[in-house]
Amino acid sequence: VTEDQTRITSLASDGLRDALTIADLESLARQRMDPAAYDYCAGGSGAEATLAENLAAFARRRLRPRALVGVAKPALATTVLGRRLELPIGVAPVSLQRLAHAEGEVASARAAADLAALFCLSTFASRSMEEVAAGAGPGVRWLQLYLLRDRGVTASLLDRASAAGYDAVCVTVDVPVAGRRHRDLRNGFRRFMAGQPALLRDLAPQANGDREAALARLDAIFPNPRATWADFEWVCSRTSLPVLAKGVLRRDDARLALGSGARGVVVSNHGGRQLDRAVPSIDALAEVVQAVAGEAEVLLDSGVRSGADVLVALALGARAVLVGRPVVWGLAADRAGSGVAGARRALELLRDGLAEAMVLAGAGSVDALDPSFVA
Amino acid sequence: VTEDQTRITSLASDGLRDALTIADLESLARQRMDPAAYDYCAGGSGAEATLAENLAAFARRRLRPRALVGVAKPALATTVLGRRLELPIGVAPVSLQRLAHAEGEVASARAAADLAALFCLSTFASRSMEEVAAGAGPGVRWLQLYLLRDRGVTASLLDRASAAGYDAVCVTVDVPVAGRRHRDLRNGFRRFMAGQPALLRDLAPQANGDREAALARLDAIFPNPRATWADFEWVCSRTSLPVLAKGVLRRDDARLALGSGARGVVVSNHGGRQLDRAVPSIDALAEVVQAVAGEAEVLLDSGVRSGADVLVALALGARAVLVGRPVVWGLAADRAGSGVAGARRALELLRDGLAEAMVLAGAGSVDALDPSFVA
Amino acid sequence: VTEDQTRITSLASDGLRDALTIADLESLARQRMDPAAYDYCAGGSGAEATLAENLAAFARRRLRPRALVGVAKPALATTVLGRRLELPIGVAPVSLQRLAHAEGEVASARAAADLAALFCLSTFASRSMEEVAAGAGPGVRWLQLYLLRDRGVTASLLDRASAAGYDAVCVTVDVPVAGRRHRDLRNGFRRFMAGQPALLRDLAPQANGDREAALARLDAIFPNPRATWADFEWVCSRTSLPVLAKGVLRRDDARLALGSGARGVVVSNHGGRQLDRAVPSIDALAEVVQAVAGEAEVLLDSGVRSGADVLVALALGARAVLVGRPVVWGLAADRAGSGVAGARRALELLRDGLAEAMVLAGAGSVDALDPSFVA
Amino acid sequence: VTEDQTRITSLASDGLRDALTIADLESLARQRMDPAAYDYCAGGSGAEATLAENLAAFARRRLRPRALVGVAKPALATTVLGRRLELPIGVAPVSLQRLAHAEGEVASARAAADLAALFCLSTFASRSMEEVAAGAGPGVRWLQLYLLRDRGVTASLLDRASAAGYDAVCVTVDVPVAGRRHRDLRNGFRRFMAGQPALLRDLAPQANGDREAALARLDAIFPNPRATWADFEWVCSRTSLPVLAKGVLRRDDARLALGSGARGVVVSNHGGRQLDRAVPSIDALAEVVQAVAGEAEVLLDSGVRSGADVLVALALGARAVLVGRPVVWGLAADRAGSGVAGARRALELLRDGLAEAMVLAGAGSVDALDPSFVA
């Protein structure tokens, strides 16, 4: 940071520019969101032990920097499943982003595209695949998919993803049922009522106006606790897109995913929103990386809040990380604007924080990171 | 949790329905109980280190969920000593339940019976064995037994248990003397005066109205610090019911229990009410399970407050768990009602929490749980 | 605790009787002492890290109780250096006990004698050896000795100890200089001015009334940073009493003590008043016990505040423990009385707490305790 | 501490004399400094995790004192790179000391010289090398050097250091870019504007009055992220002074430093001001000492706040420690005076604290310290 940069930042009067950390963005977001919607986004399941542990597990790790490596500008670019990204960071498939900003996923996808970051769209996005593809410009985009109780609906989603130019499908494997979120229950918060998933309009166009009827249709196909790795395998066979398994925390499941056709695995505890007390994903990463043994790519989400967190995950074997809440806070902080600048600010904070951490740690590129950087 | 369930719960206005956690029930109970009676139920011995550690030791454990197991509805049913239970949870032998609700043990026993859970009646219950048997309907019921200083009284309790259809006898082995409970001493709380144990009426029917004389009779036979495993063995020989030893925390004692005729062992530190600084029972479980080596059944109490806690105990080898304070809080929270709904709510919270944790952890039945689920 | 005992305790209105813990006594003492004198007694050196760790290190240890051992009344009696004690607890050589009570060491020594506990008199006691011997009645008494810069004074103390019937000499080896106590410096507290050591009168009888001159005399011989094990050896040769080394925290020093003639070793960090950040003595106990290998007796002080603490120390190999601050708090809490009752109350709380912990842990005598009782 | 010393200290009314700890000095400094300048000095990078951990890592370590070693006055003197110091402590190269006191580095250097401690002058000192050499009197002085982007400037600094009688050059290797300090960004604090580095006048004498132009010149040569061990090697070849590498935290970097000509290595994380989450330097010390294997001297900074901290570092293999913030707090606490007394007070607190800790730990000289003193 030069003197000039310091001055410019200090003179900036708008909140986004003043935000130095993801926590700053969250603070702005909290002021600007409906409290129940904020709770839905911020909260976790049960006693929120995993929600807290996700952050604590990153914070416990210490870095071992190398000196005088001569890195002026570290190379953040990488490839994920063969596609180039300018940074090893993606937007996690957070549902219902209209809760944060009216533009919803179109804004966050555009922010990702602007930075050549990965974007992953939720099955329960507020905006449709096609709206996002059309509105966000060219970029690497994945569709997150639930294994719904109706294979016809799943198949149609896969077909639309291919048609709309999505690059991969990321199948969530850790939602046999939705985790019990006490905040939502206490708030009486009905997420699909408040967040208006585009899928609801697809499923029940005729239910126009009758939201309860539409919700009943959705309830009939989601969640699907009977889904198994055979269903995952069916998805792999049904689409020509590469398929990843998101929500893996054990070596045996990593092997099952590979055996079922997964080209990638996302180590995740769903941001602390599914099984409370599940291991922090950063604690499960090494086990999964070892089990995968280079046969597929390993990503990670849950708990990434800073560039140093990204560095830790990459050093321990992740090819990239996904971030959910940080982008939501960016969207909501930019509620009065287009949303794009806010979401971009979140990604930039992480990107610039990663770059700074890599320079200070003496890592010239993401490939240079290895476990010796983590104590 | 579907949208509908969310809505219904949020609309419920009565406290029991709104309670999402055992802590919620305790909060209601605290408001509705006499403070000294609350302290008696909530407190532990000494500095209450073990009381706190019991919960902390569960909270420290992390879960390793499996994905896509295809479990729609996990099988919670099990058998304990050959009797079928619909859930691996029982009511611990908490004394003097009239402190929480006028119906006392009849209400909690009925709640257990309603759910086909185990019920264990304390030697110092407010209600008699026969009242409970008559009032609570069919169910698996055990009598908790102290090795009193008068074998005649003990024998009569054993005979009455058989006659009243009790299924087993659970001998408490960790009360050579009563733990020193500072809250009670500071409150000047006299539990047997306040809680009216049915045994007192049995022992001193002639002392009608003269409570001090009746208490003196009780003081003469309880506690019995001279009791040994030979007395335990005598109980086994004196009854045809299966006998368990409750209060075992070491492998050597587990072997002694088996050698003395125990058909089961309950790993317990008496809910932190006896030796303060004793190991949390969940920390002692693996050692006892290993020592017992399948020759008897192992149960656990002390510190179970959520479905995830139950899952941890089962994964580490417990056949079932017992819960005391949660049921007391349920009774007291339902003070204005029958008591049954409150006690049932406590058990339901644990049952449903266990079911949810098992679905999210990918365990289709209690038999599927093994130590690999716990990090 | 029977019902009757509960009632009696709760009805007691005087503070001493109501005190259930050493912390209760300290609370009374704090109210009744001069603040600077309280700080002198309560405080430690430096940042008081060791002061706090002494307690925390005990609190971290968990107990593994045995069941149904048949212990009605555990045998607390032991011998130390061949002398019988009714409890394995002694009064540590706390200096200047007149700061707590006008009767000073005569009161605490009498309390110890009443209970047949060990009493150790400080070189800097407010009362003389002879006053204590005459006023406190028969009992096992040791003299704590500093290796002063004047061997003549040391020799005279040894001679007087023999003459006055003391049973052993406990040489403090961890005071080459006095630890820097920030509380005292901030309070401007001059301990020897406030606490009136009897030794000062012995040293400078002619300085009658001129306290500064007397203090200068004392400053000339204490502390003695040049003291070595050779001086310790000289003490052993100079007296027929058995000699212990107090303030040993390492195995090599334990061996040096034995090689220099020590009959016993007291594992101690001087209650956190000398080297701040020194290891808690309970953490150093096992190392010293192993090094001593039965060739001498091992005692422990620093951090003992409850019967469970005593049990832990005995289980890990201590023959007895010494307690300092607890007795001071007892004296000060009984400021309006004789002091004896207060000091006795402190010792009784520890004795009864030990007895209760032993009964609950299933240890029939102090000899029955072994490391398996500590997790 | 004798009675007399106690009295004198307690009677002292000026803040410096009353300061018993570095924290006391910091408290005075905070009251007397501009808040933004205080934040600049006190703060660290990022979330300040390393800043906090530096202190916590020292505090976690426990000491194992030896008894009766006969040390009256421990020998603190040592040599560093062949030059004798009366204490194994030096002033770290803190930049811009005029932020704390108008006399800046001249005052702190004089304090170091008064005590025969090491002094290391920052490249970004407020006062020039020559002013410090002339104003501070004879003493062991090092120049801290950044590997600037202009070798001519670097060479000129090296020449001036030789000419002004500096004894060694300490090359900082952990600043490829400046760590991001959130406090400064939020305060809009521009350090070079506020702190007036002497180098700025050297670089841009013609820019007299035009500070922005001068800063632009500085920005052009600092920091230099492209610097490598080859540049370090060039420095070694360019000067006849011995060269140290400051900012090493890994064994591989220690070996690289030696291979590049370093005569010494300073284990440092830059006081928590560079890579946040870097390991505490005391945790990295043993690894570096082992890697260096006696081929060079190892020093340490970051987190030293007490004599016990110094003892720990020496026991684990450091030849000396450097302290930065403590001296700054001393300067600022003495803002109304010459600054020398304040800086000296900081060094004296550490020196006397080390001496006291060594006496209490039974170490007669710095050479007597070994890892057995640390648990």
Side-chain angles (χ1 to χ4, degrees):
Chain A
V1 176
T2 65
E3 288 275 318
D4 276 356
Q5 288 175 315
T6 303
R7 187 187 43 170
I8 288 168
T9 301
S10 69
L11 295 178
S13 60
D14 101 271
L16 286 182
R17 292 293 300 277
D18 288 344
L20 301 179
T21 64
I22 299 299
D24 290 344
L25 283 183
E26 179 173 0
S27 173
L28 291 171
R30 187 169 200 163
Q31 295 162 25
R32 297 169 187 185
M33 285 178 81
D34 168 71
Y38 169 80
D39 271 347
Y40 170 71
C41 295
S45 55
E48 300 191 337
T50 293
L51 182 73
E53 270 288 287
N54 278 338
L55 275 67
F58 272 110
R60 274 194 290 271
R61 281 173 167 85
R62 297 283 157 254
L63 303 178
R64 299 176 67 242
R66 300 182 62 204
L68 292 189
V69 172
V71 172
K73 204 172 155 46
L76 303 186
T78 192
T79 62
V80 175
L81 298 179
R83 294 292 308 266
R84 180 180 171 93
L85 301 170
E86 292 306 318
L87 64 172
I89 300 174
V91 177
V94 175
S95 67
L96 305 172
Q97 295 183 19
R98 268 192 175 145
L99 293 173
H101 191 283
E103 289 298 312
E105 291 80 2
V106 170
S108 51
R110 180 179 288 276
D114 285 356
L115 301 176
L118 177 68
F119 182 81
C120 187
L121 186 75
S122 167
T123 293
F124 294 126
S126 304
R127 309 293 300 269
S128 73
M129 275 183 267
E130 293 78 10
E131 288 174 310
V132 168
V140 179
R141 276 194 279 275
W142 296 356
L143 174 69
Q144 174 271 335
L145 191 73
Y146 284 109
L147 299 170
L148 303 171
R149 266 176 275 174
D150 181 331
R151 281 201 175 172
V153 176
T154 306
S156 126
L157 291 171
L158 287 170
D159 292 343
R160 287 169 58 196
S162 288
Y166 284 70
D167 298 288
V169 172
C170 185
V171 175
T172 295
V173 300
D174 62 0
V175 185
V177 299
R180 196 171 164 79
R181 320 240 168 97
H182 295 181
R183 298 198 206 196
D184 297 347
L185 294 169
R186 296 191 200 282
N187 289 335
F189 185 74
R190 301 180 66 196
R191 57 173 172 168
F192 291 144
M193 201 58 111
Q196 309 167 38
L199 182 65
L200 207 54
R201 299 191 296 271
D202 300 336
L203 284 174
Q206 77 289 6
N208 195 26
D210 182 357
R211 313 259 322 144
E212 295 296 347
L215 284 175
R217 179 90 181 87
L218 186 53
D219 278 351
I221 62 168
F222 174 83
N224 177 11
R226 291 208 171 73
T228 66
W229 289 106
D231 296 291
F232 185 92
E233 209 165 350
W234 172 80
V235 169
C236 295
S237 71
R238 183 61 184 71
T239 182
S240 57
L241 297 174
V243 181
L244 302 96
K246 174 174 168 289
V248 168
L249 290 168
R250 296 168 59 125
R251 65 174 64 86
D252 45 9
D253 277 353
R255 294 308 308 175
L256 283 170
L258 298 197
S260 306
R263 296 274 305 279
V265 165
V266 184
V267 178
S268 168
N269 56 35
H270 215 110
R273 297 165 77 85
Q274 288 295 109
L275 179 64
D276 193 35
R277 298 227 204 138
V279 287
S281 43
I282 191 65
D283 285 353
L285 177 59
E287 163 180 345
V288 171
V289 166
Q290 192 182 19
V292 165
E295 297 174 39
E297 296 188 348
V298 177
L299 288 84
L300 174 140
D301 71 26
S302 304
V304 175
R305 295 292 181 276
S306 72
D309 294 340
V310 182
L311 188 153
V312 167
L314 298 182
L316 297 180
R319 188 143 194 97
V321 301
L322 304 179
V323 290
R325 292 184 186 89
V327 173
V328 172
W329 306 144
L331 285 176
D334 190 27
R335 214 173 168 88
S338 69
V340 178
R344 205 167 48 207
R345 182 76 184 138
L347 294 170
E348 284 167 351
L349 282 172
L350 296 167
R351 179 196 64 187
D352 298 348
L354 172 61
E356 190 209 8
M358 285 174 65
V359 169
L360 291 175
S365 69
V366 294
D367 291 338
L369 290 167
D370 64 46
S372 83
F373 284 89
V374 181
Chain B
V1 176
T2 65
E3 288 275 319
D4 276 358
Q5 288 175 316
T6 301
R7 188 187 45 171
I8 288 168
T9 301
S10 69
L11 295 178
S13 60
D14 99 272
L16 286 183
R17 292 295 298 277
D18 287 344
L20 302 179
T21 63
I22 298 299
D24 290 344
L25 283 182
E26 179 173 0
S27 173
L28 291 172
R30 186 167 201 165
Q31 296 162 25
R32 296 168 187 183
M33 284 177 82
D34 168 71
Y38 169 80
D39 271 347
Y40 170 71
C41 295
S45 55
E48 300 191 337
T50 293
L51 182 73
E53 270 289 286
N54 278 338
L55 275 66
F58 272 110
R60 276 195 290 270
R61 283 174 165 84
R62 297 283 157 253
L63 304 177
R64 300 175 67 242
R66 300 181 63 202
L68 293 188
V69 172
V71 172
K73 206 173 156 41
L76 304 187
T78 192
T79 62
V80 174
L81 298 180
R83 293 293 308 267
R84 180 180 171 93
L85 300 171
E86 291 307 317
L87 64 171
I89 299 173
V91 177
V94 175
S95 68
L96 306 172
Q97 295 184 20
R98 267 191 175 146
L99 294 173
H101 191 284
E103 289 299 310
E105 291 79 1
V106 170
S108 51
R110 180 180 288 277
D114 286 356
L115 302 175
L118 177 67
F119 182 82
C120 187
L121 186 75
S122 167
T123 293
F124 293 125
S126 303
R127 309 293 300 268
S128 73
M129 276 184 266
E130 294 77 11
E131 287 174 311
V132 169
V140 178
R141 275 193 281 274
W142 296 357
L143 174 69
Q144 175 271 335
L145 191 72
Y146 283 109
L147 299 170
L148 303 171
R149 268 177 274 173
D150 180 331
R151 281 200 175 173
V153 176
T154 306
S156 124
L157 291 171
L158 287 170
D159 292 342
R160 286 169 58 196
S162 289
Y166 284 70
D167 299 286
V169 173
C170 185
V171 175
T172 296
V173 299
D174 61 1
V175 185
V177 298
R180 195 169 164 80
R181 320 238 168 99
H182 294 182
R183 299 198 206 196
D184 296 348
L185 293 170
R186 296 192 200 281
N187 290 336
F189 185 74
R190 301 181 68 196
R191 59 175 174 167
F192 291 145
M193 201 58 112
Q196 308 168 34
L199 182 65
L200 207 52
R201 298 191 296 270
D202 300 336
L203 284 175
Q206 77 290 6
N208 197 25
D210 181 356
R211 312 260 321 144
E212 296 296 347
L215 283 174
R217 178 92 179 86
L218 185 52
D219 277 350
I221 62 168
F222 174 83
N224 178 10
R226 291 209 172 74
T228 66
W229 290 106
D231 297 291
F232 184 93
E233 208 166 351
W234 172 80
V235 169
C236 295
S237 71
R238 182 64 184 71
T239 181
S240 57
L241 297 175
V243 181
L244 301 96
K246 175 175 167 289
V248 168
L249 291 168
R250 297 169 58 126
R251 65 174 65 85
D252 45 9
D253 277 353
R255 295 308 308 177
L256 284 170
L258 299 197
S260 306
R263 297 274 304 278
V265 165
V266 185
V267 178
S268 168
N269 56 35
H270 215 110
R273 297 165 77 85
Q274 288 295 110
L275 178 63
D276 192 33
R277 300 228 203 138
V279 288
S281 44
I282 191 66
D283 285 353
L285 177 59
E287 165 180 343
V288 171
V289 166
Q290 192 182 18
V292 164
E295 298 174 38
E297 297 189 347
V298 177
L299 288 84
L300 174 141
D301 69 28
S302 304
V304 175
R305 295 292 180 276
S306 72
D309 294 340
V310 182
L311 187 153
V312 166
L314 299 181
L316 296 181
R319 188 143 194 99
V321 301
L322 304 179
V323 290
R325 293 185 185 89
V327 173
V328 172
W329 306 145
L331 285 176
D334 189 28
R335 213 170 168 90
S338 69
V340 178
R344 204 166 50 207
R345 183 73 184 142
L347 294 169
E348 285 167 352
L349 283 172
L350 295 167
R351 178 196 65 188
D352 297 349
L354 172 62
E356 190 209 8
M358 286 175 66
V359 169
L360 292 174
S365 69
V366 294
D367 292 338
L369 290 166
D370 64 45
S372 83
F373 284 89
V374 182
Chain C
V1 177
T2 64
E3 287 276 319
D4 275 356
Q5 287 175 315
T6 301
R7 188 188 44 171
I8 288 168
T9 300
S10 69
L11 294 179
S13 59
D14 101 273
L16 285 182
R17 294 295 298 278
D18 287 344
L20 302 178
T21 64
I22 299 299
D24 290 344
L25 283 183
E26 180 174 1
S27 173
L28 292 171
R30 186 169 201 163
Q31 296 162 26
R32 297 169 187 183
M33 284 178 83
D34 168 70
Y38 169 81
D39 271 347
Y40 170 72
C41 296
S45 56
E48 301 191 336
T50 293
L51 183 74
E53 270 289 286
N54 278 339
L55 275 66
F58 272 110
R60 275 194 290 271
R61 283 174 164 83
R62 297 283 157 254
L63 303 177
R64 300 176 66 243
R66 300 181 63 201
L68 292 187
V69 172
V71 172
K73 204 172 158 42
L76 304 187
T78 192
T79 62
V80 174
L81 298 179
R83 293 292 307 266
R84 180 181 172 91
L85 300 171
E86 291 306 318
L87 64 171
I89 299 174
V91 177
V94 175
S95 67
L96 305 173
Q97 296 183 19
R98 267 190 176 149
L99 293 173
H101 191 283
E103 289 298 312
E105 291 79 1
V106 170
S108 51
R110 180 180 289 277
D114 285 356
L115 302 175
L118 177 66
F119 181 80
C120 187
L121 186 74
S122 168
T123 293
F124 295 125
S126 305
R127 309 294 299 269
S128 72
M129 275 184 267
E130 293 78 9
E131 286 173 311
V132 169
V140 179
R141 275 193 282 274
W142 295 356
L143 174 68
Q144 176 271 335
L145 191 73
Y146 284 110
L147 299 170
L148 303 171
R149 269 178 272 173
D150 181 331
R151 280 200 177 175
V153 176
T154 307
S156 124
L157 292 171
L158 288 170
D159 292 342
R160 287 169 57 196
S162 288
Y166 284 70
D167 298 287
V169 172
C170 186
V171 175
T172 296
V173 299
D174 61 0
V175 185
V177 298
R180 197 170 162 79
R181 320 240 168 98
H182 295 183
R183 299 198 205 196
D184 296 348
L185 294 170
R186 297 192 200 283
N187 290 335
F189 185 74
R190 301 181 68 197
R191 57 175 173 167
F192 290 145
M193 201 58 112
Q196 309 167 34
L199 182 65
L200 208 52
R201 299 191 295 271
D202 300 336
L203 285 175
Q206 78 289 8
N208 196 27
D210 181 355
R211 313 263 317 147
E212 296 296 346
L215 283 175
R217 178 93 181 86
L218 185 52
D219 278 350
I221 62 168
F222 174 83
N224 177 12
R226 290 207 173 76
T228 66
W229 289 106
D231 296 292
F232 185 92
E233 209 165 348
W234 172 80
V235 168
C236 294
S237 71
R238 182 65 184 70
T239 181
S240 57
L241 298 175
V243 181
L244 301 96
K246 174 174 167 290
V248 168
L249 291 168
R250 298 169 58 127
R251 64 174 66 84
D252 44 10
D253 277 352
R255 294 308 308 176
L256 283 170
L258 298 196
S260 306
R263 297 274 305 278
V265 166
V266 184
V267 178
S268 168
N269 56 34
H270 214 111
R273 296 165 78 85
Q274 287 296 109
L275 178 65
D276 193 32
R277 301 230 202 134
V279 288
S281 44
I282 191 67
D283 286 353
L285 177 59
E287 166 180 342
V288 171
V289 166
Q290 194 181 16
V292 165
E295 298 172 38
E297 297 189 347
V298 178
L299 289 84
L300 174 140
D301 70 27
S302 304
V304 175
R305 296 292 181 276
S306 71
D309 294 340
V310 182
L311 187 153
V312 166
L314 298 181
L316 297 180
R319 187 142 195 99
V321 300
L322 304 179
V323 290
R325 293 185 185 88
V327 173
V328 172
W329 307 145
L331 286 176
D334 190 28
R335 212 170 169 89
S338 68
V340 179
R344 203 167 49 207
R345 182 71 183 143
L347 293 170
E348 285 167 351
L349 282 172
L350 295 167
R351 178 195 65 187
D352 297 349
L354 172 62
E356 190 208 7
M358 286 176 65
V359 169
L360 291 175
S365 68
V366 294
D367 291 337
L369 290 166
D370 64 46
S372 83
F373 284 88
V374 181
Chain D
V1 176
T2 65
E3 287 276 317
D4 275 355
Q5 287 174 316
T6 302
R7 187 186 43 171
I8 289 168
T9 301
S10 69
L11 294 179
S13 60
D14 101 274
L16 285 182
R17 293 294 298 278
D18 287 344
L20 302 178
T21 64
I22 299 299
D24 290 343
L25 283 183
E26 180 173 0
S27 173
L28 292 171
R30 187 169 201 164
Q31 296 162 26
R32 297 169 187 183
M33 284 178 83
D34 168 70
Y38 169 81
D39 271 347
Y40 169 71
C41 296
S45 56
E48 301 191 336
T50 294
L51 182 74
E53 270 289 286
N54 278 338
L55 274 66
F58 272 109
R60 275 194 290 271
R61 282 174 165 83
R62 296 282 157 255
L63 303 177
R64 299 176 67 242
R66 301 180 63 202
L68 292 188
V69 173
V71 173
K73 203 171 157 46
L76 303 186
T78 191
T79 62
V80 175
L81 298 179
R83 294 292 309 268
R84 180 181 172 92
L85 300 170
E86 292 306 317
L87 63 172
I89 299 175
V91 177
V94 175
S95 67
L96 305 172
Q97 296 182 20
R98 269 193 175 146
L99 293 172
H101 191 283
E103 289 299 312
E105 291 79 1
V106 170
S108 51
R110 180 181 289 276
D114 285 356
L115 301 175
L118 177 67
F119 182 80
C120 187
L121 186 75
S122 168
T123 293
F124 294 126
S126 304
R127 308 294 299 269
S128 72
M129 276 184 266
E130 293 78 9
E131 287 174 310
V132 168
V140 180
R141 276 193 280 275
W142 296 356
L143 174 69
Q144 175 270 336
L145 191 73
Y146 284 109
L147 299 171
L148 303 171
R149 268 177 273 173
D150 181 330
R151 281 201 176 174
V153 176
T154 307
S156 126
L157 291 171
L158 287 171
D159 292 342
R160 288 170 57 196
S162 288
Y166 283 71
D167 298 288
V169 172
C170 185
V171 175
T172 295
V173 299
D174 62 0
V175 185
V177 300
R180 197 172 162 78
R181 321 242 167 96
H182 295 183
R183 297 199 206 195
D184 297 347
L185 294 170
R186 296 191 200 283
N187 289 335
F189 184 74
R190 300 181 69 197
R191 57 173 172 168
F192 290 144
M193 201 58 112
Q196 309 167 38
L199 182 65
L200 208 52
R201 299 190 297 270
D202 301 335
L203 285 175
Q206 78 289 8
N208 196 25
D210 182 356
R211 312 264 318 147
E212 296 295 346
L215 283 175
R217 179 90 180 88
L218 186 53
D219 277 351
I221 62 168
F222 175 83
N224 177 12
R226 290 206 173 75
T228 67
W229 289 106
D231 296 293
F232 185 92
E233 209 165 349
W234 172 80
V235 168
C236 295
S237 70
R238 183 64 184 70
T239 183
S240 58
L241 297 175
V243 181
L244 302 96
K246 173 174 169 289
V248 168
L249 290 168
R250 296 168 59 126
R251 64 173 65 83
D252 45 10
D253 277 352
R255 294 307 308 174
L256 284 170
L258 297 196
S260 306
R263 297 273 305 278
V265 166
V266 184
V267 178
S268 168
N269 56 36
H270 214 112
R273 297 165 78 85
Q274 287 295 109
L275 178 65
D276 193 34
R277 300 229 203 137
V279 287
S281 43
I282 191 65
D283 286 353
L285 177 59
E287 164 180 343
V288 171
V289 166
Q290 193 181 18
V292 164
E295 298 172 39
E297 297 189 347
V298 178
L299 288 83
L300 174 139
D301 71 26
S302 304
V304 175
R305 296 292 180 275
S306 71
D309 295 339
V310 181
L311 187 153
V312 167
L314 298 181
L316 297 180
R319 187 142 195 98
V321 301
L322 304 179
V323 290
R325 292 185 184 89
V327 173
V328 172
W329 306 145
L331 285 176
D334 190 28
R335 213 171 169 88
S338 68
V340 179
R344 204 168 47 207
R345 182 75 183 140
L347 293 170
E348 285 167 350
L349 283 172
L350 296 168
R351 179 195 65 187
D352 297 349
L354 172 62
E356 190 208 8
M358 285 174 65
V359 170
L360 291 174
S365 69
V366 294
D367 291 338
L369 290 167
D370 64 45
S372 83
F373 283 88
V374 181

